[in-house]
Amino acid sequence: MTIAIVDDAVLIRQGLKKLIETSYPDVTIVGEASNGAEGLALLESNRVDVCIVDIRMPIMSGIEMVAQYRLKNRHTKFIVLSGYADFTYAKEMMGHGAIAYLLKPVDHQEFHEVLHTVRRNSIQRTPTVQDISSRASEFLRSLGHECTQARHLVLLTTGGTLESEELEGHVCTILEESEHRSCILDCETMLLVAAADIDSESLIFPITKSVWKKYAVRVCAVVAKLDEFLNASDQEIRFLLESSFHCREEEVLTYRKPKPLEEFPLFFLMEEQMFLDLTLLNFHGVARRLTNLLRQLSIYRTPKNHCLFTMNRIYLTLRRGLDRRNIQPLLNILPDTEQLQALLEECDRFTQFEQIIGEIIDQLIEFESTQQQEEHGLQKPAISTILRYIGEHIHKNLSLNQIARVVGMNPSYFSLYFKKEMDENYISFVTRVKIQKAKELLQDPNLKIYELAEMLGYEDTKYFCRKFKDIVGLTPTQYKEAIITRLDDQDEEG
């Protein structure tokens, strides 16, 4: 295990270094730093398992250092040093993933307890994905002809609430009269090869029921065909191991190879569609897109790392859209991008993932409902009311005179008011919104261009095509062909 020490007090650095070198000869101290900037450089140039960091330091504080490091890396664990007056900051560091904090002056016994826990976890509880995958590969290769009648390969995981050694012992007791083999992969996961003469549900449900009865622990199970994995590649085995992420309580999941969401048709348009909703202050629309995204991630059993990448990217689009429209009250109540990333990375199950995003969805819906209630008391229509009307009537010819009449304003005054609020004149704004909607509708391969123009309130198809090309750089037909080409390419890859 490697350790770095970041503290502006020379005596503290020297004391910790002596304590570690004396008590832990197998631990390597890769370096020291006297401020956060030096510490960040140290972390970025070395593989550091544990960093002991002070909160208050010159040039860059410990909080800033950890926050910047977490933007790119998640490997290093942080032990925070603080005084009593820094307790609030220490809690903020815990929010950035710090595993413990110690009060100054450092109590040696407490330090030993923390470091012992970190070392035990790094050795026993946190093998890398590659380690686990290699262990599973070796187990499957070692089977040979030992389980000649077995046909079920089962991945069992407890979510950390029951040690896999104890789970394995209990399972072996249940299956003692059946031909089976098992392998512990990490502290919460095991592989089981068993039972050719019964179906998978008849094999698994007695196990999950018995574990619940004895330990009050829900076991997740993923069942695959053994013969498909006897000669599987490391990547295919990794897919199997990652599939438990989508397993729900008391569910037996039949394995199928996952696909990243980016490989599925037209996902690349989702960010644009969400930005359109944000432009129109349609938070219910944003909520629906997030809900649909969660559904797609679940349906396709997208691996956790792809779920993280996809959701972080979409959430960044959401935050940027809110910032551009200066929706500060909503920005204040939603987690920032780094906080959300940390929360999602801690999820062991997709159900936890859904709960976190579900809270954001609820906040969006509640915010829009509150805004609408407040607008009812205004004599002059708020810009959000105007934008909502545009969004709901995008299929009509929304001339400036018409919209001004609807909201009860003089057309000239309305034009000035809109430009002041949106920093864009009304005509160009509506055109841009309509073209954005056209790009979404062009996902339908059966939709004719003249039909599309009519759906968006354009009586002249040529005029619509010209406006589309001015904004997109392609004609509607060219854009549609580009989508079809992408779909065909994905079909060939699949």
Side-chain angles (χ1 to χ4, degrees):
M1 185 170 72
T2 57
I3 290 181
I5 304 172
V6 183
D7 195 304
D8 60 326
V10 176
L11 291 179
I12 290 180
R13 294 202 308 271
Q14 291 176 343
L16 289 173
K17 183 177 180 180
K18 183 178 180 180
L19 183 61
I20 293 169
E21 290 177 340
T22 302
S23 305
Y24 306 97
D26 60 324
V27 171
T28 301
I29 298 176
V30 297
E32 305 172 31
S34 60
N35 59 65
E38 292 178 359
L40 187 61
L42 179 63
L43 292 175
E44 290 177 344
S45 59
N46 296 273
R47 182 175 177 82
V48 179
D49 296 315
V50 178
C51 178
I52 303 170
V53 58
D54 188 17
I55 288 181
R56 294 179 181 268
M57 293 182 291
I59 302 178
M60 179 186 288
S61 70
I63 294 175
E64 293 176 280
M65 185 197 82
V66 175
Q68 287 197 30
Y69 177 78
R70 286 295 190 219
L71 292 177
K72 298 179 181 179
N73 302 279
R74 297 291 297 174
H75 169 72
T76 301
K77 297 178 176 62
F78 290 93
I79 298 174
V80 180
L81 304 180
S82 71
Y84 283 104
D86 295 330
F87 180 69
T88 301
Y89 299 112
K91 288 198 297 183
E92 185 176 346
M93 290 282 272
M94 301 298 276
H96 285 300
I99 58 172
Y101 75 93
L102 302 173
L103 291 173
K104 293 181 177 180
V106 176
D107 180 87
H108 286 196
Q109 181 61 35
E110 189 177 1
F111 178 79
H112 285 307
E113 289 176 0
V114 169
L115 205 56
H116 273 306
T117 300
V118 174
R119 289 176 75 243
R120 185 174 64 250
N121 288 344
S122 65
I123 295 171
Q124 298 179 358
R125 293 179 174 265
T126 55
T128 65
V129 173
Q130 184 60 47
D131 291 337
I132 296 173
S133 178
S134 298
R135 199 171 296 168
S137 297
E138 291 172 7
F139 168 66
L140 291 171
R141 282 196 297 268
S142 71
L143 290 176
H145 300 289
E146 292 183 32
C147 290
T148 55
Q149 300 301 314
R151 62 185 175 92
H152 297 303
L153 176 63
V154 185
L155 179 72
L156 294 171
T157 180
T158 66
T161 53
L162 176 66
E163 292 289 334
S164 52
E165 289 91 342
E166 190 155 2
L167 173 64
E168 183 187 41
H170 188 71
V171 169
C172 289
T173 301
I174 296 173
L175 300 176
E176 60 181 352
E177 296 183 1
S178 303
E179 184 183 19
H180 69 277
R181 286 282 304 278
S182 60
C183 173
I184 294 174
L185 300 179
D186 63 12
C187 67
E188 61 187 54
T189 311
M190 64 172 284
L191 273 179
L192 173 68
V193 173
D197 55 342
I198 57 175
D199 60 72
S200 59
E201 291 188 356
S202 299
L203 168 68
I204 299 303
F205 280 127
I207 294 175
T208 57
K209 183 178 179 180
S210 177
V211 171
W212 170 251
K213 184 176 180 180
K214 182 172 182 178
Y215 302 101
V217 169
R218 303 291 189 188
V219 175
C220 294
V222 181
V223 181
K225 295 178 180 178
L226 176 61
D227 57 2
E228 294 180 359
F229 283 90
L230 289 176
N231 297 303
S233 66
D234 288 344
Q235 185 178 38
E236 289 170 328
I237 291 174
R238 189 173 299 181
F239 281 147
L240 172 65
L241 300 178
E242 292 175 345
S243 62
S244 63
F245 179 63
H246 287 277
C247 205
R248 300 174 186 270
E249 284 189 356
E250 298 183 330
E251 179 184 38
V252 177
L253 199 66
T254 301
Y255 173 78
R256 69 169 184 266
K257 187 176 179 179
K259 289 185 178 181
L261 189 64
E262 290 93 328
E263 292 184 8
F264 282 80
L266 309 174
F267 172 74
F268 67 99
L269 288 177
M270 183 173 181
E271 286 178 289
E272 294 183 357
Q273 295 165 357
M274 179 176 284
F275 211 81
L276 173 61
D277 286 328
L278 290 169
T279 301
L280 298 172
L281 300 181
N282 179 14
F283 299 111
H284 274 76
V286 175
R288 283 194 299 272
R289 297 200 190 280
L290 287 174
T291 301
N292 182 60
L293 176 57
L294 286 175
R295 185 165 55 249
Q296 299 302 312
L297 290 170
S298 178
I299 289 173
Y300 299 145
R301 297 188 192 169
T302 307
K304 179 181 177 179
N305 61 328
H306 289 282
C307 288
L308 289 171
F309 172 80
T310 301
M311 190 56 72
N312 286 332
R313 189 177 69 185
I314 290 296
Y315 190 68
L316 182 61
T317 298
L318 170 60
R319 295 280 307 188
R320 285 174 174 170
L322 293 174
D323 187 60
R324 181 176 178 180
R325 297 292 293 113
N326 196 28
I327 314 296
Q328 200 59 47
L330 191 50
L331 284 168
N332 290 340
I333 63 176
L334 293 176
D336 61 35
T337 50
E338 291 81 12
Q339 289 171 333
L340 181 68
Q341 180 176 348
L343 287 170
L344 295 180
E345 286 183 349
E346 294 298 321
C347 294
D348 297 317
R349 295 283 179 272
F350 189 73
T351 49
Q352 301 165 352
F353 201 93
E354 289 176 314
Q355 289 172 352
I356 293 171
I357 302 303
E359 291 176 4
I360 293 174
I361 291 170
D362 291 342
Q363 288 170 327
L364 290 169
I365 294 173
E366 183 179 352
F367 180 80
E368 182 168 353
S369 299
T370 302
Q371 290 291 102
Q372 290 176 356
Q373 291 174 2
E374 293 175 354
E375 289 168 13
H376 286 313
L378 299 176
Q379 292 184 349
K380 182 175 68 175
I383 192 66
S384 58
T385 303
I386 296 170
L387 295 177
R388 192 156 45 246
Y389 181 88
I390 294 172
E392 293 171 354
H393 298 81
I394 199 71
H395 58 286
K396 294 184 178 180
N397 179 17
L398 295 169
S399 68
L400 188 147
N401 287 336
Q402 179 187 356
I403 191 73
R405 187 165 55 251
V406 168
V407 298
M409 288 185 181
N410 174 279
S412 297
Y413 176 75
F414 171 79
S415 178
L416 293 172
Y417 171 70
F418 190 92
K419 178 68 180 294
K420 178 182 177 182
E421 293 290 329
M422 298 297 296
D423 196 28
E424 183 177 6
N425 71 60
Y426 173 77
I427 298 300
S428 64
F429 175 84
V430 170
T431 300
R432 181 168 59 82
V433 169
K434 282 179 177 285
I435 298 307
Q436 187 63 53
K437 186 66 177 178
K439 291 168 68 177
E440 180 179 346
L441 294 173
L442 280 170
Q443 297 176 31
D444 181 358
N446 299 316
L447 186 64
K448 303 291 190 294
I449 302 302
Y450 74 87
E451 294 174 335
L452 174 62
E454 292 176 357
M455 290 172 66
L456 294 171
Y458 287 95
E459 297 178 2
D460 188 332
T461 302
K462 288 184 179 180
Y463 178 77
F464 162 71
C465 291
R466 186 166 69 251
K467 287 295 181 183
F468 189 98
K469 186 173 183 180
D470 288 344
I471 293 176
V472 180
L474 300 171
T475 67
T477 300
Q478 290 170 332
Y479 186 83
K480 188 175 184 179
E481 289 173 349
I483 292 177
I484 293 172
T485 300
R486 178 164 183 146
L487 289 173
D488 289 344
D489 290 343
Q490 290 172 346
D491 287 340
E492 291 176 6
E493 292 173 5

